[in-house]
Every structure is written in structure tokens, then in C-alpha cells.
Amino acid sequence: MSSEGFLKEVQAIGEKFLLKLQKLPKAEPVEIVSFSVVLLFIVTVLVLTIIACSCCCYSCCGCDGRPDPRRKKSQVSPAAH
């Protein structure tokens, strides 16, 4: 997909979302609740993704972006029977 087609697709989704928000005050309670649940799900996924990425980067690189020398991987050899 070209970048132009992608931008048109994002714009179409944004327009649909804006139209849905404009119709929300007149919507039935079930539709309002379902829209809120979907919105809450999307926000939760985004927040968890940001937390996971930040924790992964922090444990790998540390705050200053350099690897932490104390967190060296140790080789594990099989136990002899």
C-alpha cells in the first residue's frame, strides 16, 4: 500500500470516528456503552504496549541508553548425571 493510499485510509477512519462521536449524544444507551467499551479497550492496549516497550528498553539499556554492565548473561551448562 502506498503512503498516499494509507493516508486516505487513515483519513476515512478518522472521519467515520468523528461522525460516530457527533451522533453519540443522540444514540441509545446500549450504543454508548458499546462505544465506550471499544474505546476503553483501544486505550488499554495502547497503554500496555507503551508500558511493555518502556520496561523492555529500561531493563535492556538502562536510563542513559547504555547497557547495564551488571546485567550480563551467564551461560548455563547442563547438569551431569
Side-chain angles (χ1 to χ4, degrees):
M1 178 182 275
S2 68
S3 63
E4 199 172 295
F6 178 73
L7 289 175
K8 285 182 181 179
E9 189 70 28
V10 169
Q11 184 179 5
I13 290 172
E15 288 173 358
K16 288 178 186 177
F17 183 72
L18 186 60
L19 184 64
K20 192 72 155 172
L21 281 176
Q22 289 171 349
K23 290 182 179 180
L24 203 56
K26 301 174 205 161
E28 293 185 21
V30 173
E31 192 174 359
I32 293 172
V33 169
S34 63
F35 183 77
S36 299
V37 167
V38 169
L39 197 61
L40 181 66
F41 175 75
I42 292 170
V43 169
T44 303
V45 168
L46 289 175
V47 167
L48 289 176
T49 303
I50 291 169
I51 290 171
C53 288
S54 64
C55 288
C56 179
C57 289
Y58 181 78
S59 68
C60 168
C61 301
C63 288
D64 55 0
R66 292 179 294 181
D68 189 1
R70 295 174 289 170
R71 295 186 61 97
K72 291 182 181 176
K73 294 182 180 177
S74 61
Q75 292 266 334
V76 177
S77 58
H81 292 288

